[in-house]
DNA sequence: CTGTTAGCGCTTTCAT
DNA sequence: ATGAAAGCGCTAACAG
């Protein structure tokens, strides 16, 4: 059975070719030690002649750095995570790093196994998005030396002292509420993604939404708050529940864009034009949000800043420093588009309890 | 400066704890050599006590396998590639492999650099999608020992002898043509993605489309064939060109779904209902295709089979076998949805040349 | 400045 | 069945 690997030249081969020792070759490559101009050119010629390339595996063994980072997400097919992955990969490639993608499919068992496998691989750091990863597992593996940066975990969901980068979800919810209030909406519905893993990022969003509403004396009865599974179809199903109610809301806030898109579909299916008869606000501002009709109003998470903050936390650890016990909070922003509009007066005929 | 790494136990530590040599520990872990029941349990106890985990880096250095695979794509944010990545990651994880994602952003320089960096890392194999990777670079790096599986490169675009897995793009185009012909359409437009890298996968699609049309005596004049940049906005712009023509087509075939979605948007913007006034067929069958309104008729690429074929090619090489010089051709299928309909008779007033 | 030496943590003959 | 020893390809002291 013929093997596929044409043996690659090693430092020793180059050294022999150049008539020096492998240590000298190593020195000219790393540049950390001065080597005479004459021998340097000889070595460089040998490197070129043999087409030598350093072996990163051997290098990792002694340097204890693999130049490997991992991104753990529920599914890379989620457009938001794909955007983050793209941005992240581009940024770390500048530092000669590679990015490993791990999908947990929202299964804690998967997340645990991924974390453990990454740990054995001695990756230099893992960025963990919520969904399918238990905080306890993160804690266990980071205690063993793996550098983990939880990202977008609502703060209460993790160990109090655990660093990481978050978005200020509550502020985002408040932004959506303020926007809708400003358009005159008073009868509001909410669709919140329920997460089996106990991650409460979505709960924070509705909390912020509700709190901002309360400040204006507007309340949301339990019947106007339903849960969805985070998918477009889930959002549609949830919206059908909301829209079939006798006194249906004039506006709906969904805690992610996919569900908000489902809301729009459900509304159109029932002959309710958006935004004329129903305003819809999403969360995440996925690229698709501006490509559907009507274009979706959404709360945007600044991805570039997110990645910058992640790297700000991660890069120092790669020099051997301990992970800063910092928690970065990134403020979202609202992107108004065509799925929200001023409420129609006619919709208010039953809203006798309006307090202004 | 305190370091972040709590020194992990090694084979030697376990050996000391168990009162054996590290070779014996290695044997109980690998299971390749018989070790007495008594010592085995002692070793296992030591492993558990110390929480030992094998170091994959050291293992790779001697085994010459990194358990690392790479997927090179233009952008992971492309939904089709994200789907492939998800499927691929899941399948290789079963074999204890990890997946590295590389984005070329359609820049050949990026692709080359990615390939070279991966080569230095001794990954076990790279799956390369078209866009931003030159065939010559693939050739160069695979000559150096990197196992590369080109995927979805139209066959002419690569070295004749280069193995890989392809979709039968021409057959897909023919499928679209047959579908439209069956619905009575005779005045057809095409939007083809033009690729700076010389990849002709999209050209194959329109070729197949045109050939099938020709068999029924239908031709497409040059004015009804325009190029797009592969994005939704690009598709929209291209469609505007097509729809502003005096004798506009009754159906449009776009070589990818994103552009097809742009076509629908352009049509609706001009007050042309889809499919009543215009039928639209896409290519790729991205998940979104069934979520927009009208749901998009599309040519589907069977992702699972694609991944299966990739692994079929790749896995044997991981055992040291040479990459099979095989080229797998996967047939697509047509998924009819709501963006195509029987042509209205009124649209045919000028189509005197119909030959039936 | 360059060579010598010693590992990094593991697998793999080869003795015993 | 276990131990001893060599070596994967590289970096990092330390000599000379």
């Amino acid at each position: 059975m013929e093997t596929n690997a044409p043996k690659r030249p090693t430092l020793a081969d180059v050294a022999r070719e150049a008539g020096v020792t492998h240590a000298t070759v190593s020195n000219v490559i790393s540049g950390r030690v001065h080597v005479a101009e004459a021998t340097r050119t000889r070595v460089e010629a040998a490197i070129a002649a043999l087409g030598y390339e350093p072996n990163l595996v051997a290098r990792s063994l002694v340097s204890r750095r693999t130049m490997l980072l991992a991104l753990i997400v529920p599914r890379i097919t989620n457009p938001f995570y794909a955007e983050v992955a793209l941005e992240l990969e581009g940024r770390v490639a500048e530092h000669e790093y590679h990015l490993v993608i791990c999908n947990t499919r929202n299964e804690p068992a998967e997340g645990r196994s991924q974390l453990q496998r990454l740990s054995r691989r001695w990756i230099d750091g893992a960025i963990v998005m919520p969904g399918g990863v238990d905080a306890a597992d993160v804690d266990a593996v980071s205690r063993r030396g793996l550098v983990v940066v939880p990202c977008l975990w609502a703060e209460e969901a993790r160990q109090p002292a655990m660093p990481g980068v978050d978005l200020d979800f509550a502020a985002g919810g408040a932004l959506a509420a303020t926007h809708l209030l400003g358009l005159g909406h008073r009868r509001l519905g909410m669709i919140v993604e329920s997460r089996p893993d106990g991650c409460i990022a979505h709960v924070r969003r509705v909390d912020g939404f509700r709190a901002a509403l309360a400040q204006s004396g507007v309340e949301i009865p339990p019947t106007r708050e339903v849960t969805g599974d985070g998918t477009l179809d889930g959002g549609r199903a949830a919206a059908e529940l909301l829209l079939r109610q006798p006194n249906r809301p004039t506006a709906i806030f969904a805690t992610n864009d996919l569900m908000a898109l489902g809301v729009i579909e459900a509304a159109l299916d029932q002959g309710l034009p958006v935004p004329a008869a129903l305003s819809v606000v999403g969360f995440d501002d996925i690229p698709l949000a501006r490509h559907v009709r009507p274009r979706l109003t959404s709360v945007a998470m600044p991805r570039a800043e997110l990645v910058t903050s992640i790297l700000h936390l991660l890069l120092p650890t790669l020099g051997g420093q301990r992970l800063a016990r910092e928690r970065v909070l990134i403020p979202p922003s609202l992107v108004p588009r065509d799925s929200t509009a001023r409420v129609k007066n006619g919709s208010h005929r039953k809203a006798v309890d309006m307090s202004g």
Side-chain angles (χ1 to χ4, degrees), chain A:
Chain A
M1 194 55 63
E2 196 176 7
T3 176
N4 198 20
K7 177 178 174 352
R8 306 187 188 196
T10 70
L11 271 193
D13 296 324
V14 176
R16 196 176 320 113
E17 177 84 7
V20 293
T21 61
H22 68 272
T24 302
V25 180
S26 176
N27 285 337
V28 3
I29 290 175
S30 72
R32 302 162 93 74
V33 176
H34 232 68
V35 6
E37 198 51 39
T39 52
R40 132 162 296 130
T41 51
R42 205 143 36 88
V43 167
E44 279 167 350
I47 289 179
L50 272 59
Y52 168 79
E53 293 180 320
N55 178 337
L56 278 200
V57 175
R59 190 176 277 181
S60 291
L61 187 58
V62 31
S63 72
R64 312 183 78 87
R65 296 175 60 189
T66 52
M67 309 302 282
L68 229 39
L69 259 23
L71 176 66
I72 305 184
V73 296
R75 295 191 151 83
I76 192 61
T77 45
N78 177 316
F80 176 74
Y81 293 134
E83 292 276 349
V84 171
L86 175 65
E87 177 87 17
L88 201 51
E89 191 273 335
R91 299 282 295 277
V92 303
E94 295 169 6
H95 302 270
E96 294 293 301
Y97 272 81
H98 271 130
L99 222 215
V100 171
I101 300 287
C102 300
N103 304 105
T104 65
R105 292 151 200 269
N106 278 318
E107 307 272 8
E110 269 300 312
R112 185 174 317 123
S113 126
Q114 293 279 21
L115 242 18
Q116 289 168 349
R117 291 174 53 214
L118 290 170
S119 166
R120 281 190 286 251
R121 202 181 266 292
W122 280 26
I123 63 165
D124 293 343
I127 297 114
V128 184
M129 299 289 175
V133 177
D134 286 342
D137 293 327
V138 169
D139 199 52
V141 83
S142 67
R143 201 183 301 282
R144 294 179 130 283
L146 219 209
V147 175
V148 179
V149 177
C151 191
L152 303 191
W153 297 45
E155 51 273 32
E156 293 82 353
R158 26 171 226 251
Q159 311 298 327
M162 196 178 272
V165 12
D166 273 330
L167 288 160
D168 194 339
F169 296 117
L175 239 32
T178 307
H179 175 67
L180 257 13
L181 285 172
L183 292 173
H185 294 275
R186 294 294 181 275
R187 215 159 62 237
L188 304 161
M190 300 190 314
I191 299 177
V192 51
E193 178 176 354
S194 73
R195 297 286 287 261
D197 58 2
C199 160
I200 58 168
H202 287 255
V203 174
R204 301 286 292 159
R205 300 175 191 193
V206 293
D207 283 351
F209 186 75
R210 202 197 312 270
L213 248 36
Q215 291 206 334
S216 298
V218 175
E219 298 213 337
I220 300 189
T223 53
R224 294 228 197 85
E225 172 175 355
V226 298
T227 60
D229 63 3
T231 68
L232 193 146
D233 287 333
R236 172 206 293 263
E240 281 167 1
L241 257 40
L242 247 24
L243 298 176
R244 290 229 177 81
Q245 295 180 16
N247 203 10
R248 60 175 159 70
T250 64
I252 292 179
F253 169 54
T255 61
N256 80 23
D257 280 351
L258 251 22
M259 293 197 300
L261 258 23
V263 174
I264 295 181
E265 283 195 8
L268 298 183
D269 280 354
Q270 299 192 18
L272 290 174
V274 174
L278 181 76
S279 285
V280 180
V281 179
F283 206 118
D284 291 345
D285 191 34
I286 61 178
L288 186 58
R290 39 180 280 273
H291 284 131
V292 292
R293 292 307 149 90
R295 283 177 270 254
L296 183 67
T297 296
S298 184
V299 178
M301 318 236 230
R303 283 181 293 275
E305 290 178 37
L306 196 74
V307 169
T308 299
S309 295
I310 290 171
L311 294 182
H312 172 73
L313 240 43
L314 220 38
L315 258 21
T317 73
L318 306 180
Q321 279 190 271
R322 184 178 284 278
L323 184 63
R325 318 203 118 280
E326 220 176 312
R327 187 163 65 78
V328 184
L329 251 198
I330 298 175
S333 61
L334 186 111
V335 184
R337 296 205 184 85
D338 313 330
S339 66
T340 48
R342 179 152 287 280
V343 69
K344 290 277 193 359
N345 284 335
S347 307
H348 278 279
R349 67 197 135 84
K350 290 205 176 183
V352 292
D353 55 276
M354 269 182 60
S355 44

